[in-house]
Amino acid sequence: MHIPDGFLDAKTWISLSAISAGVVAISVARANKKLGEKHIPLMGIMSAFIFAAQMLNFPVAGGTSGHFMGGVLATILLGPFAGVLIMTTVLIVQCFIFGDGGITSLGANVFNMAVIGSVLGYLIYFTFYKIIKGKTGRFIGAFIAAWSSIVLAAGFCALELAISGTSPLKVTLTTMLGVHCIIGIGEAVITVAVISFVLATRSDLLELEKI
Amino acid sequence: MKKIIFIGLGISLVLAIFLSPFASSSPDGLEKVGEGKGFMDKAESFIAGLIPDYAFPGIENEIIATALAGMIGVLIVFTLTYILTVVIKRKKQSQINK
């Protein structure tokens, strides 16, 4: 879902870059207050894992592929603002080192995948976790938050393309949502699998203070 | 914590080196929609990157080129996040000392 250069017009990418820069600044300030000794290596590992997993495109119906995004996984383990920083770092490396995602659309990609994925994903996860509680709550919350993060990011992506005049909303929205409803299942399955792996091996990591 | 770094980084490297060369090369959701709705040709690339398209330049064997790109990517992302996090945390301690 990395938007390349050329898809977004100036007003759209400049606005989204400004919003994303603001959220990243808030995230740095939050991390500044809350980071503990234990968080540091975990932040690095989370980034490395998300980068690696994002390389693994899996086939979905009709000659399309999708890959793991990771915003919700990062948010569940380390918190929404840590998630924003992790996802942003991954996106910056993907843009500048691997030419994946445009430079003008970097702010939009940060907005769709880091901000929506981590911040909205966090709210969805904890809403379910607070209602259902326990292991079941974690798994159901993680599944729904992960699936929603992909579908919401795709929706925002379609909206940005429409505002830019690249493709009208009525043409793009349903197809973008349709494809990503399927990719979202992959996201949800991987997120729940990793959470259950962490629960089984080092459940204390899930109790770390969230950033 | 050392063990966690070892295992976490190990899993990431294994995924990037041994699985990424076999990932699906079909277009992703956005590309597919772009092709179908006729706006994919608007895509431009203002920045090619040092390792374009996750294939290490100059290596003919695609599997090795992708595996190498994956390994380098994991190490760069890990190091960059680690340094960034240390810098953010250190700023906090220097503020407390003032």
Side-chain angles (χ1 to χ4, degrees):
Chain A
M1 211 188 304
H2 293 58
I3 304 175
D5 288 310
F7 274 15
L8 303 178
D9 66 353
K11 69 168 190 308
T12 310
W13 71 255
I14 292 171
S15 319
L16 287 166
S17 300
I19 295 170
S20 294
V23 177
V24 170
I26 294 168
S27 306
V28 169
R30 282 281 296 225
N32 190 260
K33 279 192 193 131
K34 289 195 157 188
L35 267 178
E37 207 57 59
K38 265 190 167 180
H39 289 113
I40 296 173
L42 292 173
M43 296 274 291
I45 291 167
M46 200 71 250
S47 281
F49 177 79
I50 287 172
F51 173 85
Q54 286 204 4
M55 282 186 81
L56 308 178
N57 285 62
F58 48 82
V60 290
T64 311
S65 74
H67 64 70
F68 183 62
M69 186 167 87
V72 168
L73 180 66
T75 229
I76 293 174
L77 287 168
L78 292 158
F81 296 102
V84 168
L85 295 178
I86 287 167
M87 295 300 288
T88 303
T89 311
V90 170
L91 286 163
I92 287 172
V93 171
Q94 287 171 330
C95 172
F96 288 96
I97 309 285
F98 298 97
D100 191 7
I103 182 154
T104 53
S105 44
L106 181 60
N109 286 326
V110 167
F111 181 80
N112 295 345
M113 290 183 257
V115 178
I116 298 299
S118 295
V119 180
L120 272 187
Y122 184 83
L123 296 175
I124 298 170
Y125 170 74
F126 272 98
T127 304
F128 279 94
Y129 181 49
K130 274 186 186 135
I131 296 169
I132 305 171
K133 293 189 174 74
K135 247 186 190 179
T136 327
R138 279 197 196 282
F139 291 151
I140 292 175
F143 194 95
I144 294 170
W147 182 83
S148 309
S149 73
I150 297 292
V151 176
L152 285 167
F156 274 99
C157 183
L159 195 62
E160 291 152 14
L161 294 174
I163 294 170
S164 299
T166 298
S167 185
L169 196 60
K170 62 173 190 280
V171 172
T172 326
L173 186 65
T174 42
T175 38
M176 273 300 273
L177 292 181
V179 174
H180 289 92
C181 279
I182 307 170
I183 298 175
I185 296 171
E187 181 81 15
V189 169
I190 297 169
T191 304
V192 170
V194 176
I195 299 291
S196 63
F197 174 73
V198 174
L199 265 176
T201 49
R202 284 293 301 264
S203 58
D204 58 308
L205 294 180
L206 276 160
E207 307 301 333
L208 267 184
E209 192 190 3
K210 303 288 178 276
I211 296 166
Chain B
M1 198 44 87
K2 263 186 186 159
K3 197 177 154 200
I4 294 179
I5 298 178
F6 190 73
I7 293 171
L9 204 52
I11 291 174
S12 308
L13 282 170
V14 166
L15 295 178
I17 296 170
F18 296 106
L19 287 184
S20 74
F22 306 103
S24 166
S25 54
S26 299
D28 75 3
L30 175 61
E31 290 164 344
K32 188 73 179 177
V33 173
E35 285 167 11
K37 306 298 174 191
F39 63 84
M40 201 57 213
D41 54 352
K42 287 189 183 171
E44 293 176 66
S45 189
F46 297 157
I47 184 164
L50 298 172
I51 309 175
D53 295 322
Y54 300 91
F56 199 85
I59 295 177
E60 286 208 3
N61 186 317
E62 277 180 30
I63 292 179
I64 296 174
T66 306
L68 200 57
M71 184 187 83
I72 293 169
V74 164
L75 295 176
I76 291 176
V77 166
F78 176 79
T79 311
L80 190 65
T81 310
Y82 199 101
I83 292 171
L84 186 84
T85 316
V86 169
V87 168
I88 292 174
K89 186 171 146 58
R90 191 168 292 165
K91 214 170 119 200
K92 164 185 169 181
Q93 285 164 338
S94 65
Q95 279 167 348
I96 291 166
N97 292 339
K98 270 177 199 169

